[in-house]
Amino acid sequence: MSEEILINITPMETRVALVENGVLQEVHIERTQRRGIVGNIYKGKVVRVLPGMQAAFVDIGLERAAFIHASEISEREGAAVEPISALVHDGKALVVQVTKDPIGTKGARLTTHLSVPSRYLVYMPRTPHVGISLKIDEEAERDRLREIVARCVEQEGVEERGGFILRTAAEAAREEDILIDIRYVRRLWQQIQQQMNTAPAPSVLYEDLPLALRTLRDLANPRLEKIRIDSRETFQKVEQFVHELMPGVEDLLEHYPGERPIFDLYGVEDEIQKALERKVMLKSGGYLVIDQTEAMTTIDVNTGAFVGHRNLEETIFKTNLEAATSIARQLRLRNLGGIIIIDFIDMEDEEHRRQVLRTLERQLERDHAKTNIIGITELGLVQMTRKRTRESLEQVLCEPCPCCTGRGIQRTAESVCYEIFREIMREARAYQAGGYMVLASQAVIDRLLDEESGNVADLELFIQRPIKFQVEPMYTQEQYDVVLT
């Protein structure tokens, strides 16, 4: 199993593709204009203290001053928090971290309780405490992780006060991986500390990594063979980053100078387009239908054109096996999270059901997001969950259709014609008019003048008024207006 990471850089966005054995498995996209500042650490300057609100405004170099509450500065909790005027004064330099992006007219929200994230843990240099994500609920695993952190800290022998929170991703992580992370965050904190003493206020001390570097932090593993980057500038930044913080990855870096776009070369562009479609074709001729809703994602498996060689049960089994492998890939590729319901084709054989479920479990083992197969319901549906790490591919790249407002269907031209007839009847009863003009889409007007022409004539006779028609090219099929003439 070989993996490659492809990084495509343009001024507007960064895109990262994870390719396994030549097949695209994951896509990550970050738009330059939509990069938030949450997690960034700044050396700011207090510009205004508000005793009545127990808060202060801090200039961190943004358009608007950011906001910090006394409880985010104080070491105490609850009612014991000191008054803001005892904690800060105008002109005081303050090292802060952004907890909320600026929204509308409001400035960013800040805290002085700093934290530095890595793949498996978050380092809190000012809090001597080891915590574990509540989503890791097995007590034995929680104990194992606590012991690992204690051993790693002892092994490093750093006399520095500070604590760690183990992230959900740390579940089942190896001791050596956690040790690598502890070294990484401590080196990062040392860099931040050096800047704290020398940097002027306001200035940025630490920015959460841009996508290209964040990907390396989160996706680098022993199976990785190459990291190809199509921008020399980004290549140099990545080179410096791995040299300082991830020395084992240096030999894998490669600058791609080719004329042909790197995503075209590996067929990634086509795969992204396919990942936005509802239907996924299987090699056997079967297919999946994937529907994302607010509450859950549903995946339906169909045999399609595949008829097998021996019997129906064999056909169904083979289609379901292929579907299980394809579903695991689609979940990663589309970054589908939350509750997922899979409707495999019904199988009579208990052993076949077990094998399909086992195939799905095995394929999901390579997923970087945490997955959990809950089991099969009485109706034969497979229930599972996948941890949401960020927006799905569809949410990043798409918006609801303005014609159907995200329903995925629209009323037929016939239904719209009958609505128009009812509207004309309402108008005729309410107002005295010389006649009526119907404005609608081409498809609706065509139907009114053709299949519905007899009904139009009957209506004109009934209301004793003429009805005229006008095509509005910009109208969707469901849009129409009835105007008095």
Side-chain angles (χ1 to χ4, degrees), residues 32 35 96 100 132 155 178 237 241 270 281 283 285 305 309 313 333 347 355-356 367 369 411 461 480 484:
T32 308
R35 268 204 78 192
V96 290
K100 196 173 183 182
I132 293 172
Q155 187 178 331
I178 290 173
K237 283 182 188 169
F241 172 78
D270 292 343
M281 298 308 298
K283 286 195 179 107
H309 302 295
E313 182 64 22
L333 184 54
M347 292 170 284
Q355 282 189 47
V356 167
D367 199 332
R411 286 195 286 281
L461 198 62
Y480 65 84
L484 309 183

Side-chain angles (χ1 to χ4, degrees), residues 213-453:
L213 305 183
R214 211 163 62 232
T215 301
L216 296 189
R217 179 185 77 193
D218 296 344
L219 299 185
N221 66 66
R223 296 189 301 276
L224 200 56
E225 285 190 355
K226 271 280 173 271
I227 300 159
R228 292 192 164 91
I229 304 165
D230 67 0
S231 151
R232 181 159 290 285
E233 187 187 350
T234 303
F235 175 75
Q236 286 163 352
K237 283 182 188 169
V238 169
E239 213 171 20
Q240 186 184 350
F241 172 78
V242 298
H243 176 70
E244 291 174 7
L245 299 165
M246 301 174 72
V249 179
E250 264 183 290
D251 296 341
L252 308 181
L253 295 179
E254 186 180 288
H255 175 238
Y256 172 78
E259 287 292 313
R260 196 172 169 201
I262 190 167
F263 273 25
D264 287 359
L265 187 68
Y266 283 79
V268 173
E269 296 290 8
D270 292 343
E271 289 297 324
I272 291 173
Q273 291 308 312
K274 285 182 195 168
L276 297 174
E277 291 171 11
R278 192 167 163 250
K279 200 170 181 179
V280 178
M281 298 308 298
L282 303 174
K283 286 195 179 107
S284 62
Y287 61 92
L288 312 175
V289 176
I290 301 175
D291 286 308
Q292 261 183 276
T293 70
E294 285 287 319
M296 66 183 76
T297 298
T298 62
I299 303 175
D300 188 32
V301 183
N302 298 283
T303 52
F306 184 45
V307 291
H309 302 295
R310 295 204 197 109
N311 55 39
L312 183 61
E313 182 64 22
E314 179 217 35
T315 303
I316 290 170
F317 178 50
K318 282 196 170 168
T319 305
N320 280 341
L321 278 179
E322 191 187 348
T325 303
S326 179
I327 287 166
R329 174 175 175 255
Q330 290 297 326
L331 295 181
R332 290 174 71 186
L333 184 54
R334 296 167 187 245
N335 193 30
L336 299 171
I339 298 167
I340 296 153
I341 303 291
I342 306 166
D343 185 8
F344 285 109
I345 309 161
D346 288 343
M347 292 170 284
E348 300 293 326
D349 191 327
E350 184 64 42
E351 178 58 21
H352 284 178
R353 281 204 290 268
R354 198 189 63 74
Q355 282 189 47
V356 167
L357 213 54
R358 179 71 195 108
T359 300
L360 181 63
E361 284 170 354
R362 205 167 51 246
Q363 294 296 325
L364 287 170
E365 282 169 8
R366 287 155 36 205
D367 199 332
H368 295 103
K370 188 184 176 189
T371 57
N372 182 22
I373 297 177
I374 292 141
I376 301 181
T377 68
E378 289 175 11
L379 295 173
L381 305 172
V382 172
Q383 302 176 101
M384 66 168 287
T385 59
R386 183 174 186 270
K387 183 176 164 55
R388 275 188 213 279
T389 50
R390 58 191 199 288
E391 290 179 309
S392 72
L393 190 65
E394 186 181 284
Q395 288 164 332
V396 171
L397 298 180
C398 305
E399 63 182 7
C401 160
C403 302
C404 71
T405 59
R407 298 195 315 272
I409 52 171
Q410 62 179 1
R411 286 195 286 281
T412 61
E414 180 184 29
S415 300
V416 176
C417 289
Y418 296 164
E419 271 185 49
I420 290 169
F421 294 155
R422 287 194 292 275
E423 181 63 23
I424 291 171
M425 290 288 286
R426 274 195 291 274
E427 299 275 358
R429 289 193 182 104
Y431 307 104
Q432 290 299 315
Y436 299 93
M437 170 76 78
V438 174
L439 312 175
S441 66
Q442 184 76 56
V444 170
I445 298 293
D446 286 349
R447 187 171 180 98
L448 287 166
L449 296 174
D450 191 357
E451 292 100 316
E452 306 298 338
S453 56

Side-chain angles (χ1 to χ4, degrees), residues 449-479:
L449 296 174
D450 191 357
E451 292 100 316
E452 306 298 338
S453 56
N455 292 328
V456 172
D458 291 345
L459 186 60
E460 283 182 319
L461 198 62
F462 182 75
I463 62 172
Q464 297 186 335
R465 306 271 194 292
I467 303 171
K468 295 177 184 170
F469 303 101
Q470 182 178 315
V471 173
E472 286 292 332
M474 300 301 287
Y475 277 24
T476 66
Q477 189 160 294
E478 293 189 358
Q479 272 181 297

